[in-house]
Structure formats: C-alpha cells, structure tokens
Amino acid sequence: MLFLLGEMCYIHNMKDQSIYTCWLTAFCALTKTHGSQAKIAQLTGVTAKYINDIIAERRGASLKLQERIASALGLTYENMLAIGRSNPEQQTKHLIA
C-alpha cells in the first residue's frame, strides 16, 4: 500500500492540493455516476448521512475509509487519486479561499 500523506497533486492553475482533495474530487464525481450514497454507505459500513457529510465537506474520511469507499466503487485508492488529478475543474470546488 502506498503511504501518500504529504504528497501533492497539481491542478491547472498550479496551486498545490492535498491528496485528500484529489480523492474527494473523485469521490464527488463518482457518486454522481456510480450509485447512491446509501449503497456506498452499506458497502463500507457507515451511514448514508456520514457519506453525505463527507461529500458536503462537513466531515472527513480516514485513509482506511477512503480505501473502503474506493473498493465499494470497484476501484483502488490509487485509481481514485488518478481520477481526482485528471478532473481539475472539479478540484477547484474544494479550494479553501
């Protein structure tokens, strides 16, 4: 398993974004196309509210939960990061002003 804490990904305007932001970008995009929040919650052992709170950025997801969510979506954690990195328009939604 990769230990990615501290790595950075870059978006089109070259502002550094955290790995978590890359993962969150992918997660938000994938939940729109790959099933309901309730189904993802069921597959990962958390509540649908918790999934919704992650998407709304009211709560964070631990690395372990990020991996479980990726698996529930049929992906690896690394695949999710790659999706997040390749979607710079969505990443800008998660910038902190």
Side-chain angles (χ1 to χ4, degrees), residues 14-25:
M14 299 306 290
K15 290 186 179 180
D16 296 341
Q17 293 297 296
S18 70
I19 290 297
Y20 184 79
T21 300
C22 291
W23 178 87
L24 183 60
T25 296

Side-chain angles (χ1 to χ4, degrees), residues 9-91:
C9 72
Y10 296 91
I11 60 174
H12 66 286
N13 62 3
M14 299 306 290
K15 290 186 179 180
D16 296 341
Q17 293 297 296
S18 70
I19 290 297
Y20 184 79
T21 300
C22 291
W23 178 87
L24 183 60
T25 296
F27 183 46
C28 291
L30 291 167
T31 56
K32 293 176 184 173
T33 60
H34 284 77
S36 72
Q37 294 176 23
K39 183 67 173 173
I40 295 166
Q42 179 185 20
L43 292 170
T44 57
V46 298
T47 66
K49 180 174 179 357
Y50 195 97
I51 296 295
N52 184 269
D53 286 348
I54 292 168
I55 293 167
E57 299 184 60
R58 290 185 294 266
R59 297 181 78 170
S62 68
L63 179 58
K64 193 172 241 182
L65 180 55
Q66 291 173 52
E67 291 170 340
R68 288 195 329 251
I69 289 171
S71 179
L73 292 169
L75 301 166
T76 66
Y77 177 75
E78 292 78 13
N79 291 142
M80 292 225 11
L81 295 180
I83 291 166
R85 286 185 187 108
S86 68
N87 199 348
E89 293 80 24
Q90 289 288 60
Q91 284 184 348

